[in-house]
Amino acid sequence: MKQILMTGVGAYLPETILTNDDLSKFVDTDDNWIRQRTGIISRRKANPEELTSDLAVKAANQALLSSGLNVLDIDCIIVATTTPDCTFPATATIVQEKLGALNAFAFDVQAVCAGFVYALSVANGLMSAGQGSNTLVIGAETFTKLLDWRDRSTCVLFGDGAGAVVLQAEKSEEGYGIIANTLHSDGRYKDILYVDGGVSSTGTIGHVKMQGRDVFKHAVEKLAAAMDEVLHISNLTSDDIDWLVPHQANIRIINAMQKKLNLPDEKVIKTVSHHANTSAASIPLALTSGVESGKIKSGHLLALEAIGGGLSWGASLVRYGRPV
Ligand code: UT7
């Protein structure tokens, strides 16, 4: 039986940094409010000519280097994004062309902030069924292009970036690679976090709208339940987790999850302070930061979880790297 191993990670952040003080110059907010309520200090912003696919390609190249694979070995590319380069084709095909990954099939997954856990689960399913031996799963967003910069309740929360992982289907020791996934959606809550535009509705791109307090409540409750679920189906407990690598939307949500799982600070990757909420890119960005800083090592059990518009949410357990 083949395992779906996670053998490489990569990330890219656009160069432009927007601090809370920068924002307070054009919207009625302040550094203290943003830090206290969200934990965010700064975020990155893509330039107008910088596309989601550009960010994705940079993250993907780094993930390829980290896994030791050649781009022509890649046979599947999945891009999780809510901010595609264009309505069609899929951003994943643009990434394929820019990478020169000519042996891959490529498509996008749209589950907003939960996009990366959705894409990981889709990749796991395809690869377990024999479709794709070496898959690139990328979360990439230019989310700042969806923001209404006059709306202080949303514009301070988001940033741009991309993260990528390489998955390889290999005969390996049991308990390595992707161990369990759970995905959920509840469309009854579609109106608490959405974009007020679209191809078949307004014909415009629209802007992010959010009832933050409601989303916050759902996030804490639903993420905890999803994490319980993946631990239960894997016969593991929170004591087995080496690293919680959560979606980075708000430090208070991350801290609440940490508390529910009874994990010390040394077991949680927190990047929200300098990335803000990068939607589908947030987990692979945090993951890469954890690996590059030497915290996450081969053999560590990672707990990933995310929630976003839909509402859609999910969790995954992954034992990182390869057995030695
Ligand atoms: O990744 C997708 C999932 N999204 C999330 O997980 C986001 C979840 N929600 C949140 O993170 C939080 O609800 C927010 C950070 C969005 C808001 O924090 P909150 O503690 O829930 O604040 P609130 O919305 O209840 O607003 C409190 C006050 C309001 O003023 P009044 O009505 O009490 O006078 C807001 O108008 O804070 C005001 N406010 C601001 N003040 C300064 C809202 N945004 C700002 C701002 N600067 N940027």
Side-chain angles (χ1 to χ4, degrees), residues 180-184 222-236 313-315 317:
N181 299 293
T182 183
L183 301 178
H184 294 274
K222 290 178 166 47
L223 291 174
M227 194 48 72
D228 280 349
E229 209 180 321
V230 281
L231 286 168
H232 180 72
I233 55 181
S234 316
N235 280 323
L236 295 167
W313 66 100
L317 290 177

Side-chain angles (χ1 to χ4, degrees), residues 4-324:
I4 310 304
L5 304 180
M6 189 180 282
T7 60
V9 294
Y12 178 75
L13 290 163
E15 277 173 26
T16 304
I17 298 173
L18 270 185
T19 64
N20 294 342
D21 286 337
D22 292 334
L23 296 182
S24 68
K25 288 182 187 130
F26 58 83
V27 67
D28 181 17
T29 190
D30 59 83
D31 178 55
N32 190 44
W33 190 96
I34 302 173
R35 279 191 202 223
Q36 296 299 323
R37 302 289 179 125
T38 71
I40 298 166
I41 297 169
S42 65
R43 72 285 292 141
R44 302 296 182 106
K45 185 173 180 297
N47 297 323
E49 67 281 0
E50 218 170 0
L51 308 183
T52 294
S53 62
D54 296 323
L55 275 49
V57 164
K58 287 181 172 145
N61 273 323
Q62 204 186 321
L64 283 169
L65 264 180
S66 131
S67 73
L69 283 186
N70 183 285
V71 70
L72 294 175
D73 296 328
I74 296 297
D75 45 22
C76 172
I77 301 172
I78 307 177
V79 174
T81 189
T82 307
T83 47
D85 287 13
C86 43
T87 304
F88 79 81
T91 300
T93 60
I94 302 168
V95 170
Q96 174 197 22
E97 189 265 332
K98 288 183 178 173
L99 281 174
L102 298 179
N103 297 320
F105 63 95
F107 62 98
D108 290 356
V109 163
Q110 215 286 45
V112 207
C113 297
F116 185 76
V117 286
Y118 266 69
L120 201 65
S121 182
V122 169
N124 185 48
L126 282 172
M127 294 174 82
S128 300
Q131 283 189 287
S133 308
N134 300 313
T135 295
L136 261 173
V137 178
I138 306 169
E141 301 278 17
T142 48
F143 217 84
T144 63
K145 297 185 185 187
L146 272 183
L147 298 175
D148 175 354
W149 292 101
R150 295 161 306 178
D151 175 9
R152 67 176 185 176
S153 70
T154 53
C155 77
V156 305
L157 303 174
F158 296 92
D160 300 333
V165 300
V166 170
L167 300 178
Q168 293 186 253
E170 277 179 23
K171 284 212 168 84
S172 172
E173 200 177 294
E174 195 126 337
Y176 260 80
I178 298 177
I179 295 171
N181 299 293
T182 183
L183 301 178
H184 294 274
S185 303
D186 192 336
R188 289 174 301 172
Y189 301 115
K190 66 185 185 333
D191 297 333
I192 64 172
L193 176 51
Y194 69 103
V195 166
D196 64 349
V199 178
S200 75
S201 52
T202 60
T204 60
I205 295 170
H207 293 119
V208 174
K209 304 282 169 195
M210 179 165 69
Q211 291 168 33
R213 224 178 289 183
D214 289 345
V215 176
F216 191 102
K217 274 188 259 161
H218 284 291
V220 174
E221 173 199 306
K222 290 178 166 47
L223 291 174
M227 194 48 72
D228 280 349
E229 209 180 321
V230 281
L231 286 168
H232 180 72
I233 55 181
S234 316
N235 280 323
L236 295 167
T237 72
S238 60
D239 290 344
D240 297 306
I241 296 172
D242 291 301
W243 291 102
L244 174 65
V245 189
H247 173 47
Q248 309 282 325
N250 185 318
I251 197 68
R252 292 187 288 140
I253 298 176
I254 296 172
N255 290 343
M257 280 301 293
Q258 173 179 351
K259 200 168 163 205
K260 276 188 192 288
L261 292 166
N262 197 23
L263 295 174
D265 267 345
E266 297 70 44
K267 289 190 167 191
V268 187
I269 304 288
K270 299 179 185 181
T271 53
V272 65
S273 59
H274 291 89
H275 294 175
N277 183 346
T278 56
S279 183
S282 99
I283 289 179
L285 272 167
L287 192 53
T288 306
S289 140
V291 172
E292 286 183 345
S293 62
K295 291 176 174 170
I296 297 174
K297 296 191 169 59
S298 198
H300 278 172
L301 183 70
L302 312 179
L304 319 178
E305 41 89 338
I307 185 165
L311 293 175
S312 292
W313 66 100
S316 301
L317 290 177
V318 180
R319 194 168 298 283
Y320 183 72
R322 279 196 174 83
V324 272

